[in-house]
Amino acid sequence: MSGTTGIGPVEPGEGTHGRDLPGPAAAPPPHPGRRRALLAVAVTAAVLAGGGYLYATRPHDPPPPQVPYPAQTVAFAFAGDRPTPAGAPPRSFSFGLRMSVLDGAPVTVDRISQPYAGLSLTETPHAPFRTKSGTPREVTVTMHVTDCATVPKDAGLPFLNVTLRNTRAIQVQSFILGTRYAQHLSRALKVACSNGR
């Protein structure tokens, strides 16, 4: 045979060096500036996650207690007969009312009223007025009989409706002022409506 044919790859001879053949394209290494930005984002995310966990798990102070409702902190007491103010219409009579704020925020009285159709009511000082804890206030209430036919002949448990307000709420509360007030009111109504006055 004049020539030799072989099958298979040609083997390199001694002292020869092979070259890597090009394979699939490899991604270029990240640019150093981009690598630093990615690292900074990862560190920031880790710090935020750790801070959120610490905030969520640390003990929190309880919220400050709410101001009580005004009706829970106020007391009214009958304070006896008072002179009727000059200039009051006929068939009028007056009495004292002592208001105390037992504790908490100051309380404002927006209105005082009573339930009987034949009576009207005014107060001094005129509402609205404010009262602080530890400083009782005396109010003079003057009632005027407008219709003797509709006032009670014997007021058993008379009450006053008072609209109270503080920083938490506005409430309308009924106050029963006790036996002395009931007796005073019954007596004053009989006097006001006797002898056609």
Side-chain angles (χ1 to χ4, degrees), residues 3-193:
T4 309
T5 29
I7 300 176
V10 178
E11 295 185 11
E14 191 176 325
T16 60
H17 298 284
R19 231 174 45 174
D20 289 334
L21 295 175
H31 189 273
R34 186 172 175 196
R35 191 179 317 154
R36 280 194 295 271
L38 290 172
L39 182 61
V41 168
V43 169
T44 302
V47 168
L48 288 175
Y53 173 78
L54 288 175
Y55 179 79
T57 58
R58 76 179 176 93
H60 294 284
D61 294 333
Q66 276 195 313
V67 172
Y69 287 101
Q72 295 173 331
T73 65
V74 170
F76 283 92
F78 176 67
D81 194 19
R82 294 293 181 268
T84 302
R91 297 194 300 192
S92 295
F93 58 93
S94 300
F95 60 91
L97 192 62
R98 186 170 293 109
M99 174 187 175
S100 301
V101 177
L102 306 177
D103 62 10
V107 174
T108 298
V109 171
D110 281 338
R111 184 169 185 257
I112 300 175
S113 63
Q114 53 75 44
Y116 303 116
L119 287 174
S120 66
L121 177 153
T122 58
E123 73 283 330
T124 306
H126 297 295
F129 56 84
R130 191 176 187 214
T131 304
K132 296 179 181 177
S133 174
T135 310
R137 177 187 291 270
E138 185 159 310
V139 182
T140 298
V141 175
T142 299
M143 290 192 177
H144 168 60
V145 179
T146 57
D147 182 6
C148 285
T150 59
V151 296
K153 298 297 184 272
D154 187 15
L157 285 174
F159 59 89
L160 294 177
N161 293 319
V162 185
T163 304
L164 303 167
R165 171 170 46 97
N166 69 3
T167 54
R168 181 169 185 179
I170 297 174
Q171 292 179 292
V172 178
Q173 183 74 19
S174 296
F175 291 93
I176 297 173
L177 302 176
T179 306
R180 287 180 60 224
Y181 172 62
Q183 292 170 348
H184 172 80
L185 181 62
S186 294
R187 188 167 52 249
L189 290 175
K190 285 174 186 170
V191 170
C193 290

